[in-house]
Amino acid sequence: MSTELLRGEPVAEPILGRVAERVRTLREEGTTPTLATVLMSDDPADERFVELKHETCDDVGIATRDVRLEPGAPAERLYREVERLSDDPVVDAVFVQVPLPDGVSLTGVRRRLEPTKDVDCLHLENVGRLVAGEPRFVPATTAAVCRLLSAYDVPVAGADVVVVGRSGVIGTPLANRLLWDRSVGNATVTVCHSRTTDLAAHTRRADIVVTAAGTPGVVDGSMLSSGAVVVDVSATRKPEGVVGDVAFESAAERASAITPVPGGVGPVTLAALVENVVRTATRRDGDREG
Ligand code: NAP
C-alpha cells in the first residue's frame, strides 16, 4: 500500500497568503494587527515555539510583542502582564505559552485574559463557547488538524476517530471539534489518556488516530488498522531533533496517510494562529470606524 504524506506546508501556504493580504488592507486602513506572546519558561523547546510564532507574524506583516518572565518569577508578575496586555488597545491578541511553571495557576491567567483577545481559547468563556458549539476562536492546533484532514479529503463524518491526549489545550478541544464541527466533524470520537487501560485496543478500531500525548513512541504500526489515517500533533524536542508520538516507520507501513513530524500539523497551526489574530484585528478596525 502506498502511504500518503500529509505535509502541512501546502495547507498552510494559502492560509498565510490570505492572511498577508488581509493584513495589508488593515494596515492601509490604519490598523496594524498585533500579537503579544507571554513566555514564562527557559525551556529551549518553549522558546522555539514562541520564536516560530513571531517569525510567522513577521512573514505576514503582523506586529508582535514578546514578553518573557523568568520561570521562578512570582505568579503575580505574570498575571499583571496578562492584565496589562489585555487592557492595551494596540494589542489585538494575547497568547500565553503553556505549560506554566509549577505554582503558577492557569486559572489565574484565564481570569485575567480579555476573552476577545484570547486567540488560543484559554478563557473559560471561550472554552464554554467552544463546547457549546459557538466558538469565538478555535484553538490553533485544533483548527490545524481539522484543516489538514479537510485539505487532504480525509472523510471524517461517520469515521471512528481516536484522540490520544485529553489536555485542555489540545486533546479536549480537538475531540470536541471532530465531534461537532460542521465541515470537519460528525466523527465518532474516543478520547484516550494515560489511564486508558488498553490503548492499542482503541487505536486498532480507529479509522483516524490523532496523537497529542507528548510521549514519543506511544503509538506504533502494530496498534493501527490497515489503512488508518494518522495525525501526529506532538512535537517533543530530543537531541536528534523534534519527534512526534508515533513510531513513524512502522506506522507508515500500516497507514494510508500519515503526517510527518516536523512538517505536518506544526506549519498549519502557525497559519491558524495568525488567522485568529487577523480576525481580532478586523474587529478592532470595525470598532474604530464604527
Ligand atoms: P499535555 O498537557 O502534557 O497532555 C498530554 C496528554 O496525553 C494528557 O492527556 C495525558 O494523559 C496523555 N498521555 C500522556 N502519555 C500518554 C500515554 N502513554 N498514553 C496515553 N495518553 C497519554 O500536553 P499538551 O499540551 O496537550 O501537548 C501535547 C503535545 O502537542 C506536546 O508534544 C506539544 O509539544 C505538542 N504541541 C504541538 C503543537 C503543534 O502545532 N503541532 C502545538 C502545541 C503543542 P493524562 O491526562 O492522563 O495525563
Side-chain angles (χ1 to χ4, degrees):
M1 184 190 347
S2 74
T3 307
E4 186 177 20
L5 202 56
L6 305 175
R7 291 178 52 244
E9 288 211 343
V11 182
E13 262 167 36
I15 301 173
L16 292 171
R18 282 194 297 275
V19 169
E21 205 177 304
R22 183 73 193 121
V23 171
R24 256 194 309 279
T25 306
L26 284 167
R27 280 178 169 254
E28 279 162 19
E29 290 168 356
T31 297
T32 301
T34 302
L35 168 70
T37 60
V38 183
L39 175 65
M40 195 175 191
S41 164
D42 53 10
D43 181 330
D46 293 331
E47 288 173 346
R48 185 62 195 139
F49 285 142
V50 168
E51 279 164 22
L52 285 168
K53 291 178 180 72
H54 285 258
E55 286 168 17
T56 308
C57 284
D58 282 352
D59 289 347
V60 295
I62 292 175
T64 53
R65 303 265 186 90
D66 187 355
V67 176
R68 298 197 180 207
L69 299 169
E70 292 295 320
E76 273 307 321
R77 277 195 53 205
L78 172 67
Y79 303 152
R80 270 203 306 278
E81 285 295 339
V82 172
E83 265 169 1
R84 186 178 64 77
L85 295 168
S86 287
D87 290 342
D88 187 333
V90 168
V91 171
D92 295 292
V94 182
F95 185 103
V96 180
Q97 186 74 40
V98 292
L100 297 169
D102 291 345
V104 179
S105 127
L106 185 58
T107 306
V109 170
R110 284 180 152 141
R111 283 208 196 108
R112 287 158 178 94
L113 261 175
E114 161 54 43
T116 58
K117 297 185 179 187
D118 170 33
V119 277
D120 218 37
C121 204
L122 287 184
H123 192 284
L124 292 182
E125 180 184 317
N126 290 331
V127 175
R129 286 182 62 143
L130 189 85
V131 172
E134 293 180 30
R136 177 183 274 132
F137 299 111
V138 175
T141 313
T142 291
V145 173
C146 294
R147 297 291 269 271
L148 202 73
L149 290 170
S150 169
Y152 284 96
D153 294 324
V154 175
V156 175
D160 280 317
V161 179
V162 166
V163 176
V164 186
R166 60 172 167 178
S167 79
V169 287
I170 303 190
T172 297
L174 181 55
N176 178 280
R177 294 322 291 157
L178 292 170
L179 189 60
W180 286 110
D181 190 285
R182 280 193 207 99
S183 53
V184 195
N186 292 314
T188 301
V189 183
T190 304
V191 183
C192 298
H193 46 81
S194 68
R195 306 290 289 273
T196 298
T197 46
D198 186 353
L199 180 61
H202 294 282
T203 55
R204 274 192 206 113
R205 278 194 292 101
D207 303 306
I208 303 171
V209 175
V210 185
T211 60
T215 306
V218 73
V219 168
D220 64 28
S222 72
M223 300 165 71
L224 299 171
S225 68
S226 174
V229 172
V230 180
V231 177
D232 191 343
V233 174
S234 287
T236 305
R237 209 157 274 273
K238 293 269 194 191
E240 64 272 24
V242 173
V243 298
D245 285 336
V246 177
F248 185 88
E249 301 293 328
S250 71
E253 280 173 21
R254 299 280 292 168
S256 60
I258 185 167
T259 53
V261 178
V265 177
V268 193
T269 300
L270 292 166
L273 173 67
V274 291
E275 201 174 40
N276 277 350
V277 175
V278 159
R279 199 164 289 145
T280 64
T282 299
R283 204 198 46 246
R284 174 159 66 99
D285 189 52
D287 290 349
R288 204 168 43 81
E289 283 174 4

